[in-house]
Amino acid sequence: MNTTPILKNRIFLYLTEFFAGMSVMAVELGASRLLAPYFSSSQIVWTIIIGTIMIAMALGNIYGGRSADKNPDPDRLYTRILIAGVWIALIPVVGKYIILGISALLIFAVNTNFLIWAAFAACMVIFVFPLFLLGTVTPSLAKYTMQSLADSGSIVGTLGAFNTIGSIIGTFVPTFISIPAVGTSITFLIFAAILLGLGIIYFVSKRSGWKKSAASAVIFIL
């Protein structure tokens, strides 16, 4: 399974966990800024954002664990990371049109609690899929990193710590640095680029996956 040289370096795997956790929180904060002009930044909207993200992460954890057990191929994980990066990069480009489209559809179908249903539907369509993919990171990395049951506790604990530290930094960086300095759209692109970088580094080190890496980079640049 771990025939790829870079996977023998646990630091790279821990960095993957770190940046995945960071990106999840950055997307969550970016989501609030993206939705605010249309649905406000009320407690209701924040509850919807947090709830949908937790749903995505939970489903990603389940799928990631089962996928790693069934087919322990790291290519699958880093392909998912590339897809998540591309999706996040597209959010500032198409996100507002999706919100407007969903709102236009629901305004004729929903008589009460329009704000709740429209915000929930927008979050589900825009944010659940990439965060579902990022939710697969932790169980997959546990599979690739663990050599025996003797060190299983320390491996899972270390992965959890890197994810949590990344999430903490991913909370502060967008709020105090990137969003005030360059705005929400560029913040999405920054964290998308980080995820794409992880995937491209993996495939370059393996000397395979050139097409998917190149396609991801081209879509990001466009």
Side-chain angles (χ1 to χ4, degrees):
M1 177 180 63
N2 290 350
T3 55
T4 305
I6 198 169
L7 291 183
K8 297 178 181 179
N9 183 353
R10 286 186 177 179
I11 297 300
F12 178 74
L13 299 179
Y14 291 146
L15 287 177
T16 300
E17 184 73 58
F18 173 83
F19 286 118
M22 180 186 291
S23 299
V24 168
M25 294 308 300
V27 170
E28 181 175 338
L29 291 167
S32 69
R33 293 293 298 267
L34 182 70
L35 296 176
Y38 308 96
F39 306 118
S40 81
S41 57
S42 65
Q43 185 176 2
I44 292 175
V45 174
W46 266 108
T47 300
I48 291 169
I49 292 171
I50 295 171
T52 52
I53 287 174
M54 298 307 291
I55 291 171
M57 296 298 293
L59 294 175
N61 287 164
I62 295 171
Y63 176 81
R66 292 180 177 178
S67 177
D69 286 339
K70 186 176 182 180
N71 185 4
D73 182 1
D75 285 14
R76 294 165 63 88
L77 171 63
Y78 285 93
T79 297
R80 291 196 294 266
I81 291 175
L82 284 178
I83 295 172
V86 170
W87 189 288
I88 292 169
L90 290 172
I91 288 175
V93 180
V94 301
K96 61 182 179 181
Y97 300 108
I98 294 174
I99 292 171
L100 292 173
I102 289 173
S103 299
L105 290 174
L106 290 181
I107 200 169
F108 297 106
V110 177
N111 295 323
T112 59
N113 297 320
F114 170 78
L115 172 67
I116 296 174
W117 288 109
F120 178 73
C123 282
M124 292 293 291
V125 173
I126 299 171
F127 300 108
V128 163
F129 181 66
L131 297 180
F132 165 81
L133 296 178
L134 293 179
T136 67
V137 170
T138 298
S140 299
L141 290 180
K143 183 77 172 182
Y144 308 145
T145 310
M146 203 175 298
Q147 301 298 325
S148 67
L149 291 177
D151 61 352
S152 60
S154 62
I155 292 297
V156 172
T158 304
L159 287 171
F162 270 83
N163 185 278
T164 301
I165 294 170
S167 298
I168 294 169
I169 296 175
T171 301
F172 287 98
V173 169
T175 301
F176 295 107
I177 300 176
S178 63
I179 291 177
V182 296
T184 304
S185 295
I186 301 300
T187 296
F188 277 118
L189 294 177
I190 290 171
F191 287 93
I194 292 172
L195 295 174
L196 291 175
L198 288 172
I200 290 171
I201 289 170
Y202 168 80
F203 284 110
V204 167
S205 71
K206 193 179 178 183
R207 298 178 182 176
S208 67
W210 298 104
K211 291 183 180 179
K212 63 183 71 174
S213 297
S216 300
V218 168
I219 293 172
F220 175 79
I221 292 170
L222 291 176

